[in-house]
Amino acid sequence: GAVVSQHPSRVICKSGTSVKIECRSLDFQATTMFWYRQFPKKSLMLMATSNEGSKATYEQGVEKDKFLINHASLTLSTLTVTSAHPEDSSFYICSAKPRDRGQETQYFGPGTRLLVL
Amino acid sequence: AQSVTQLGSHVSVSEGALVLLRCNYSSSVPPYLFWYVQYPNQGLQLLLKYTTGATLVKGINGFEAEFKKSETSFHLTKPSAHMSDAAEYFCAFNTGGFKTIFGAGTRLFVKA
């Protein structure tokens, strides 16, 4: 149980295009989902927290117009990197908090590797 | 300020040797503490966590960690390293809210 999937696992795109990454909780309902960014050989940086049906809360320094987050249902959140540039290349990981668990519980997706050329 | 520090960005051990990965935290309120493992190009997998109760926590794959409040530490240990333990390990903590703070990570190398 408690499986989180991400799609796609890898994506290569041209500079200036937009890329959408999906995060799904497969066997539980997630009231809250988190999006992290991980630079090579670095730790995870929380980008934003999204609650189902409401606007995402972005961490300081994260451009909300650049990284659009939608959490339309209890099992799906999407991150759209708009007008991607090479510096947006990174490993993006989502996690999800089950609706019936404490706030400290989160399950991680396998990550999405984004390469912007 | 709340933070978590992992001592040593790289740790190398021989197969069969003790694994010790160090983690210290700074928090003004009692934390929930976690250790996660990440294999290359994969997400994070929870090894173990401390919330309340017994301070020695056992996790998967033979790992355990002990919460020492007086030392603000939560070091991860395993008596005997396997080659398959080679990975990146992250210590993290949460103070009951939504935000989990991660350490910088420690890469574990296991030599044959």
Side-chain angles (χ1 to χ4, degrees):
Chain A
V3 177
V4 176
S5 70
Q6 282 184 240
H7 178 80
S9 58
R10 295 172 181 266
V11 56
I12 301 173
C13 69
K14 293 182 179 180
S15 186
T17 62
S18 294
V19 175
K20 180 185 283 188
I21 302 170
E22 291 185 349
C23 176
R24 292 182 185 273
S25 57
L26 298 185
D27 50 2
F28 64 95
Q29 292 183 325
T31 47
T32 305
M33 288 186 169
F34 307 87
W35 286 96
Y36 294 87
R37 182 173 179 177
Q38 186 179 29
F39 293 96
K41 300 182 180 180
K42 297 290 185 182
S43 188
L44 278 72
M45 180 191 78
L46 179 65
M47 300 174 65
T49 302
S50 74
N51 292 298
E52 185 264 338
S54 62
K55 290 183 178 180
T57 301
Y58 290 81
E59 295 298 303
Q60 190 173 7
V62 178
E63 299 175 62
K64 61 182 180 181
D65 295 329
K66 173 77 171 175
F67 299 99
L68 300 179
I69 291 172
N70 183 278
H71 191 163
S73 77
L74 286 172
T75 59
L76 173 65
S77 176
T78 60
L79 167 67
T80 301
V81 183
T82 62
S83 187
H85 288 97
E87 57 266 29
D88 298 325
S89 299
S90 195
F91 194 51
Y92 292 89
I93 302 176
C94 74
S95 71
K97 185 199 90 64
R99 128 187 259 175
D100 59 346
R101 301 293 295 275
Q103 292 178 340
E104 78 288 353
T105 299
Q106 54 180 313
Y107 298 102
F108 286 83
T112 296
R113 175 79 57 194
L114 170 63
L115 177 61
V116 184
L117 302 176
Chain B
Q2 297 177 332
S3 64
V4 58
T5 302
Q6 291 183 239
L7 299 177
S9 59
H10 297 84
V11 170
S12 181
V13 300
S14 297
E15 193 172 22
L18 171 72
V19 175
L20 171 61
L21 305 182
R22 299 176 187 273
C23 173
N24 288 87
Y25 68 91
S26 173
S27 174
S28 56
V29 298
Y32 298 126
L33 294 159
F34 309 84
W35 275 99
Y36 290 92
V37 61
Q38 184 182 35
Y39 297 98
N41 295 311
Q42 294 185 27
L44 274 65
Q45 180 182 7
L46 180 66
L47 277 177
L48 50 79
K49 69 177 180 181
Y50 168 80
T51 53
T52 58
T55 55
L56 181 62
V57 182
K58 295 186 183 299
I60 62 172
N61 302 338
F63 284 93
E64 61 182 37
E66 186 171 11
F67 170 56
K68 292 187 176 180
K69 184 178 179 180
S70 61
E71 299 177 8
T72 61
S73 69
F74 191 56
H75 302 329
L76 181 71
T77 61
K78 181 174 180 178
S80 177
H82 292 170
M83 297 297 290
S84 60
D85 294 327
E88 187 87 20
Y89 291 81
F90 292 96
C91 180
F93 83 94
N94 179 295
T95 54
F98 284 123
K99 190 169 183 177
T100 297
I101 298 174
F102 288 84
T106 297
R107 181 161 295 277
L108 176 65
F109 297 93
V110 182
K111 299 174 292 185

